[in-house]
Each structure stands twice: as structure tokens, then as C-alpha cells.
Amino acid sequence: MATKRVKFPRRQALNRAVPKYTPSPWQEALHRNQAKRKWVWAGRRAGKGRAAIQEAISTILEASKKKFIVNGEDVTDTLVPDIHIWTVAPTKAQMRQVWNEMKAYIPKYMWKGYDGRAGGRGGAWHEDEFYVELEVRTPNGGFAADTVRKSVLWELRSADNPESLQTVGLDFLHIAEAQDVKKVAWDKVEWVTESPGRMGRVFAEGIPPIARSHWFSRQFMYAENNPSLQNLAVRATSFDNMYLTDSQKENIRKQKETTAEWIWERMVMAKQPDVGGGFFRKIEDAAVGMELARPIEGHAYVAGLDLGKQVDPTVLIIKNRITRESVHSIEMLKTDWVLQKETLLAELAQWNCETVMMDSSGMGGDVLFDELLNLGVPVVGKKFTPQTKYQLFLNYAVALQNGTVSFPPEWSKLRSELDAIEVQQAGLGYTFRHPNSAHDDWVDAEVLALMACDPPDAMDDEYEPVTTIRTVEPLTENSVSYTGGRLMRWRRQRKAKQLQELRKLTEISTNQESLLLDAMD
């Protein structure tokens, strides 16, 4: 049975003890609940970190008056330190924000050695080791008569070293950004709260994990379905922060237009994604395009190219640059590079592609990229890393959500690959897997082709392509223009066209082609 807690100070008293903190309604309701373990799903900027600090201070005040009695004997002096608190964050970098807020919200009269002078900290804060030493003093600098545990050690620990998260007993455990803390770390710290003489409080906060199997998700769901003095689950959205201005709230709402809906709802509304973790939504809504055998005169086209590696196919997807509609595709499997190269050159020439976004990562990616570049293909290399791939996928997910991209319904491979891709948390980033599909080559080619397209708002009601630098500028993940690179590619494209005309008139060798290209400059 949970130990009875002292009543949390009313708001006015709390304000005197802890400067600057006036809880929002959701925070105040959280503070007044007496549950031993509190699990908080809250949107960004909702105030979950500050609420955690106030919960820790409340536990300090309560623990300072609690004796440790064993068989009728007072053994409080055996507790070393008197009161022990941990904040565990996924990485050391994420500890910094908590550290800064601790400095702002822990009353200065509780800092060990603080003498009241401006800027004086009395050596309480140990920056290198991330720990602070406190004393449970009253605002006048003395100790209350019923204070039996006077000193506090508050340490910040990183969850990326799980082996260091043990061998202590804690009065209060704060887990920051719990959705990024791995289970192996939780398995270590869960038991440090079950120690004789310690309060054993837990406050875990973050946004909802993507996977329902995540330990934080399981703990939250259990608490939500079984509220008790042992467990409490609390949800709060970003809009529940009463200090956000109307302008800030409106900016948060507008972010929904530039990110996937499920990501926005997770980050802002603290809603967990649907079961399965599927990354792309509204796939069927986008399968309304028309496949073309040849280009339409006056239309501009771009392409995405994913080169096959070992058993993977090479996939080329052609998109209308303005409408962002996929209109043509080629898949080549177990075909030698010479034949692939000739096929690609012929197709790209037929469609007069202005830009070809290509995956240049992996074994031989740079070599093949250079070879195509030397042949006059207007290729732009994109090295796939977890970060760049996530951004490409996110851009495409937003386009699906907003209905600004389409492809032919008969492209069953693209549809199945889009449907199969799942996103998983990986530290501070994401990884993708496709357990129900053997490949993701069509998806890679599709998202690369979209990257070469114009922004969705560049299309007029009636499609009248205007070949200018402004209209052919593709978007990047950081909104940086490719204008300079585009001019270079136009030059290469012009040379390639000139070379094609020469081929019609005469047969020239590869070495002669190189000399001619140099002469065209």
C-alpha cells in the first residue's frame, strides 16, 4: 500500500517557495494527485519538464520530514545521502534542458552554500558531473523544526549507459523524454525506486512512443486503465500550456500543413499512432494517375532513379514536374549495367528529363553517378542516410496527406511497398523497415522523383508550364534551392542534346565524345 503523502502546497504557497512557477490547470491537477508513479504523455511545450521539477521539490519537502524506522528504531542517519534524486534522460545533450530549468526553478535558498549574493551559487552546482547539492532550508535560511533529512543529492544521468543506472536507492526518479529511453535502461532504473527508507516516486514524461510495445507505452496504458494510489496516467496537449500566446498556438496549428498528420498529432496532441506503425497514409487516394507511353508536348518532366544493388531491381520513375504526377516507370532486374545504362539514357532522352534525382549511396553509387554525369545526364546525387531518408519519406507523406502527389493505380508494387513501410524509433531518430515487402526500391525512386518536382503551390488552375529558374527549382528538406546546380545541369543537358544531334550525323567513339563535350564549353 502506498505511503500517505503530504498535501501538495496550494498555488499561492507554491509560488512563494518556487519563484516563477504558476502551474497550468493540467499541471495543478497532476500535482494534487497522490499516486506514487506518474506517467505523463504531453505535447511539445506543454510544460511536462517543469511539472517534473515541481514534483521533485514536493517529494524533497515531504521526504525531509520522514523518518526511517526499522523495528522501532530510528535509523534515518543510515540514509546516504539523506534524500537522493535522479533525472534520467536519453542522452547527455537532452540532460542540458532539464539542468537549465533546475537552475531556474529550484529556490536559491535550497542551494547548498548559497549566501544570497548576486550570482553566488556556493559551489552547489557541479557542471562537469551534472549534479547539484541542496539543503532543505526555509526561505529565511534555517531548517524547520521537524526536518530530519536535510541534505539532497540530485544527479542527472544519461540512459545511453544503462550499466551506470543501478546500485542506488532513490526517493524520486524523473525520466525525461521517456519515449527515447530504451527498455534496457528502464529495466535498470525501475528497481532503484524500491529501496528501504526511500520514497520511491517515479515521474516519467514524454510524447507517446510510436510502438505500443514500448515500455513507456505499456506503463502508461496500464496506469490509464487501472488508476490507483500506485499509478496515474496524464495526457496534455501543447495547447494546454496557458502561457502560449494565440499567435504561438496558431503557428503550432500551421505546422500540421508541413508535416505528416500522425506526427503532428503525436508531437502536439500527445496521440499515439495507429497500431502497425505504418508511415504512409492516404495511399489509395493518390492512386488516381494515368500512365503514359510517351511525353505530352509542352509538359516538363523529372525523374527519380534507384539503382539496383545485388538482388534489388533498378527503378526509374518519371514525374510531371508541375503536377507531381508519376506517369512512367521502368524496372530492370538482373540486367548488366551496360544495358541498364543504355536503357536509362534512351528513356531520359525521350522524356527530356530536366532533373534526375539519384540515390548515390552504397557500393558503387558515386562511380555510377559520375558515369551518368559524364554522359550528360542531369543527375543530382542524394546519399541515403537515416536522416536524409526520413526527410524524403516525410516530404512524401505530407504530399500524400495534402493530396499533392499521384501515381497510376496499376502500379501495385509501389502501392504495396508504401503500405508495408513502418517507422521505428531509433534513439533520437527513426529507422524504416518493410516486414511485409521484400524491397523498397519503388518507394525510393518515387520519393526521389518528388524531390525534383516543383512545390505544390506552383501549379496554376490551368497547367501552363513556364521554363524559368523559379518554376523548375526543386524543394529540399531544408528549403535550400538547387538553382546553382540547376544551371549546371542545364548546361550538361544542352551539351547532351547537341551530342545526340551529332550522333545522328556521324559515328563517334567515347573518347571523341569527351573531346567534343570539352569543346562545347
PDB file of all heavy atoms in Angstrom, residues 193-209:
ATOM      1  N   THR A 193      14.024   2.414  -7.371  1.00  0.00           N
ATOM      2  CA  THR A 193      12.999   3.117  -6.594  1.00  0.00           C
ATOM      3  C   THR A 193      12.412   2.229  -5.495  1.00  0.00           C
ATOM      4  O   THR A 193      11.606   2.699  -4.693  1.00  0.00           O
ATOM      5  CB  THR A 193      11.857   3.580  -7.521  1.00  0.00           C
ATOM      6  OG1 THR A 193      11.265   2.440  -8.157  1.00  0.00           O
ATOM      7  CG2 THR A 193      12.389   4.522  -8.586  1.00  0.00           C
ATOM      8  N   GLU A 194      12.790   0.963  -5.485  1.00  0.00           N
ATOM      9  CA  GLU A 194      12.280   0.039  -4.459  1.00  0.00           C
ATOM     10  C   GLU A 194      13.396  -0.237  -3.459  1.00  0.00           C
ATOM     11  O   GLU A 194      14.026  -1.296  -3.477  1.00  0.00           O
ATOM     12  CB  GLU A 194      11.786  -1.259  -5.113  1.00  0.00           C
ATOM     13  CG  GLU A 194      10.690  -1.049  -6.142  1.00  0.00           C
ATOM     14  CD  GLU A 194       9.408  -0.471  -5.546  1.00  0.00           C
ATOM     15  OE1 GLU A 194       9.193  -0.614  -4.322  1.00  0.00           O
ATOM     16  OE2 GLU A 194       8.631   0.136  -6.305  1.00  0.00           O
ATOM     17  N   SER A 195      13.668   0.740  -2.610  1.00  0.00           N
ATOM     18  CA  SER A 195      14.758   0.621  -1.641  1.00  0.00           C
ATOM     19  C   SER A 195      14.259   1.039  -0.259  1.00  0.00           C
ATOM     20  O   SER A 195      13.527   2.029  -0.135  1.00  0.00           O
ATOM     21  CB  SER A 195      15.936   1.509  -2.071  1.00  0.00           C
ATOM     22  OG  SER A 195      17.020   1.375  -1.190  1.00  0.00           O
ATOM     23  N   PRO A 196      14.618   0.320   0.798  1.00  0.00           N
ATOM     24  CA  PRO A 196      14.149   0.644   2.152  1.00  0.00           C
ATOM     25  C   PRO A 196      14.500   2.078   2.544  1.00  0.00           C
ATOM     26  O   PRO A 196      15.612   2.557   2.297  1.00  0.00           O
ATOM     27  CB  PRO A 196      14.887  -0.373   3.030  1.00  0.00           C
ATOM     28  CG  PRO A 196      15.199  -1.507   2.119  1.00  0.00           C
ATOM     29  CD  PRO A 196      15.473  -0.891   0.782  1.00  0.00           C
ATOM     30  N   GLY A 197      13.541   2.756   3.125  1.00  0.00           N
ATOM     31  CA  GLY A 197      13.757   4.105   3.620  1.00  0.00           C
ATOM     32  C   GLY A 197      13.598   5.190   2.583  1.00  0.00           C
ATOM     33  O   GLY A 197      13.633   6.374   2.923  1.00  0.00           O
ATOM     34  N   ARG A 198      13.441   4.808   1.318  1.00  0.00           N
ATOM     35  CA  ARG A 198      13.324   5.793   0.250  1.00  0.00           C
ATOM     36  C   ARG A 198      11.862   5.966  -0.166  1.00  0.00           C
ATOM     37  O   ARG A 198      11.054   5.051  -0.028  1.00  0.00           O
ATOM     38  CB  ARG A 198      14.150   5.367  -0.967  1.00  0.00           C
ATOM     39  CG  ARG A 198      15.653   5.286  -0.710  1.00  0.00           C
ATOM     40  CD  ARG A 198      16.232   6.626  -0.330  1.00  0.00           C
ATOM     41  NE  ARG A 198      17.684   6.562  -0.152  1.00  0.00           N
ATOM     42  CZ  ARG A 198      18.430   7.584   0.234  1.00  0.00           C
ATOM     43  NH1 ARG A 198      17.864   8.764   0.493  1.00  0.00           N
ATOM     44  NH2 ARG A 198      19.731   7.457   0.384  1.00  0.00           N
ATOM     45  N   MET A 199      11.531   7.151  -0.686  1.00  0.00           N
ATOM     46  CA  MET A 199      10.168   7.441  -1.091  1.00  0.00           C
ATOM     47  C   MET A 199       9.765   6.644  -2.340  1.00  0.00           C
ATOM     48  O   MET A 199       8.609   6.273  -2.498  1.00  0.00           O
ATOM     49  CB  MET A 199      10.011   8.942  -1.369  1.00  0.00           C
ATOM     50  CG  MET A 199      10.369   9.837  -0.181  1.00  0.00           C
ATOM     51  SD  MET A 199       9.245   9.645   1.209  1.00  0.00           S
ATOM     52  CE  MET A 199       7.785  10.424   0.561  1.00  0.00           C
ATOM     53  N   GLY A 200      10.707   6.437  -3.246  1.00  0.00           N
ATOM     54  CA  GLY A 200      10.437   5.605  -4.421  1.00  0.00           C
ATOM     55  C   GLY A 200       9.439   6.168  -5.411  1.00  0.00           C
ATOM     56  O   GLY A 200       8.721   5.418  -6.083  1.00  0.00           O
ATOM     57  N   ARG A 201       9.403   7.483  -5.575  1.00  0.00           N
ATOM     58  CA  ARG A 201       8.477   8.105  -6.518  1.00  0.00           C
ATOM     59  C   ARG A 201       9.049   8.041  -7.943  1.00  0.00           C
ATOM     60  O   ARG A 201      10.265   8.119  -8.140  1.00  0.00           O
ATOM     61  CB  ARG A 201       8.220   9.564  -6.147  1.00  0.00           C
ATOM     62  CG  ARG A 201       7.672   9.746  -4.745  1.00  0.00           C
ATOM     63  CD  ARG A 201       6.172   9.435  -4.696  1.00  0.00           C
ATOM     64  NE  ARG A 201       5.714   9.239  -3.330  1.00  0.00           N
ATOM     65  CZ  ARG A 201       5.614  10.184  -2.412  1.00  0.00           C
ATOM     66  NH1 ARG A 201       5.963  11.411  -2.700  1.00  0.00           N
ATOM     67  NH2 ARG A 201       5.177   9.895  -1.208  1.00  0.00           N
ATOM     68  N   VAL A 202       8.160   7.923  -8.923  1.00  0.00           N
ATOM     69  CA  VAL A 202       8.556   7.900 -10.330  1.00  0.00           C
ATOM     70  C   VAL A 202       7.719   8.927 -11.086  1.00  0.00           C
ATOM     71  O   VAL A 202       6.491   8.980 -10.920  1.00  0.00           O
ATOM     72  CB  VAL A 202       8.359   6.507 -10.963  1.00  0.00           C
ATOM     73  CG1 VAL A 202       8.680   6.548 -12.455  1.00  0.00           C
ATOM     74  CG2 VAL A 202       9.234   5.469 -10.266  1.00  0.00           C
ATOM     75  N   PHE A 203       8.392   9.728 -11.915  1.00  0.00           N
ATOM     76  CA  PHE A 203       7.713  10.680 -12.795  1.00  0.00           C
ATOM     77  C   PHE A 203       8.334  10.524 -14.176  1.00  0.00           C
ATOM     78  O   PHE A 203       9.457  10.980 -14.421  1.00  0.00           O
ATOM     79  CB  PHE A 203       7.873  12.113 -12.287  1.00  0.00           C
ATOM     80  CG  PHE A 203       7.024  13.126 -13.009  1.00  0.00           C
ATOM     81  CD1 PHE A 203       5.797  13.507 -12.494  1.00  0.00           C
ATOM     82  CD2 PHE A 203       7.448  13.692 -14.200  1.00  0.00           C
ATOM     83  CE1 PHE A 203       5.004  14.451 -13.159  1.00  0.00           C
ATOM     84  CE2 PHE A 203       6.679  14.625 -14.870  1.00  0.00           C
ATOM     85  CZ  PHE A 203       5.448  15.009 -14.346  1.00  0.00           C
ATOM     86  N   ALA A 204       7.637   9.832 -15.068  1.00  0.00           N
ATOM     87  CA  ALA A 204       8.135   9.596 -16.429  1.00  0.00           C
ATOM     88  C   ALA A 204       7.318  10.435 -17.397  1.00  0.00           C
ATOM     89  O   ALA A 204       6.081  10.346 -17.418  1.00  0.00           O
ATOM     90  CB  ALA A 204       8.040   8.118 -16.785  1.00  0.00           C
ATOM     91  N   GLU A 205       7.983  11.257 -18.193  1.00  0.00           N
ATOM     92  CA  GLU A 205       7.272  12.163 -19.097  1.00  0.00           C
ATOM     93  C   GLU A 205       7.875  12.126 -20.484  1.00  0.00           C
ATOM     94  O   GLU A 205       9.053  11.840 -20.663  1.00  0.00           O
ATOM     95  CB  GLU A 205       7.294  13.589 -18.542  1.00  0.00           C
ATOM     96  CG  GLU A 205       8.643  14.093 -18.035  1.00  0.00           C
ATOM     97  CD  GLU A 205       9.511  14.752 -19.086  1.00  0.00           C
ATOM     98  OE1 GLU A 205       9.135  14.761 -20.273  1.00  0.00           O
ATOM     99  OE2 GLU A 205      10.584  15.262 -18.710  1.00  0.00           O
ATOM    100  N   GLY A 206       7.023  12.415 -21.469  1.00  0.00           N
ATOM    101  CA  GLY A 206       7.465  12.460 -22.853  1.00  0.00           C
ATOM    102  C   GLY A 206       6.257  12.503 -23.771  1.00  0.00           C
ATOM    103  O   GLY A 206       5.118  12.678 -23.335  1.00  0.00           O
ATOM    104  N   ILE A 207       6.516  12.344 -25.068  1.00  0.00           N
ATOM    105  CA  ILE A 207       5.431  12.188 -26.021  1.00  0.00           C
ATOM    106  C   ILE A 207       5.158  10.704 -26.181  1.00  0.00           C
ATOM    107  O   ILE A 207       5.986   9.869 -25.789  1.00  0.00           O
ATOM    108  CB  ILE A 207       5.789  12.829 -27.378  1.00  0.00           C
ATOM    109  CG1 ILE A 207       7.063  12.199 -27.959  1.00  0.00           C
ATOM    110  CG2 ILE A 207       5.945  14.333 -27.245  1.00  0.00           C
ATOM    111  CD1 ILE A 207       7.404  12.686 -29.351  1.00  0.00           C
ATOM    112  N   PRO A 208       4.012  10.305 -26.744  1.00  0.00           N
ATOM    113  CA  PRO A 208       3.716   8.878 -26.876  1.00  0.00           C
ATOM    114  C   PRO A 208       4.741   8.172 -27.762  1.00  0.00           C
ATOM    115  O   PRO A 208       5.103   8.690 -28.820  1.00  0.00           O
ATOM    116  CB  PRO A 208       2.326   8.855 -27.527  1.00  0.00           C
ATOM    117  CG  PRO A 208       1.736  10.188 -27.215  1.00  0.00           C
ATOM    118  CD  PRO A 208       2.879  11.150 -27.181  1.00  0.00           C
ATOM    119  N   PRO A 209       5.223   7.008 -27.364  1.00  0.00           N
ATOM    120  CA  PRO A 209       6.107   6.235 -28.246  1.00  0.00           C
ATOM    121  C   PRO A 209       5.362   5.819 -29.507  1.00  0.00           C
ATOM    122  O   PRO A 209       4.126   5.707 -29.502  1.00  0.00           O
ATOM    123  CB  PRO A 209       6.481   5.015 -27.396  1.00  0.00           C
ATOM    124  CG  PRO A 209       6.167   5.392 -25.989  1.00  0.00           C
ATOM    125  CD  PRO A 209       5.018   6.349 -26.070  1.00  0.00           C
TER     126      PRO A 209
END
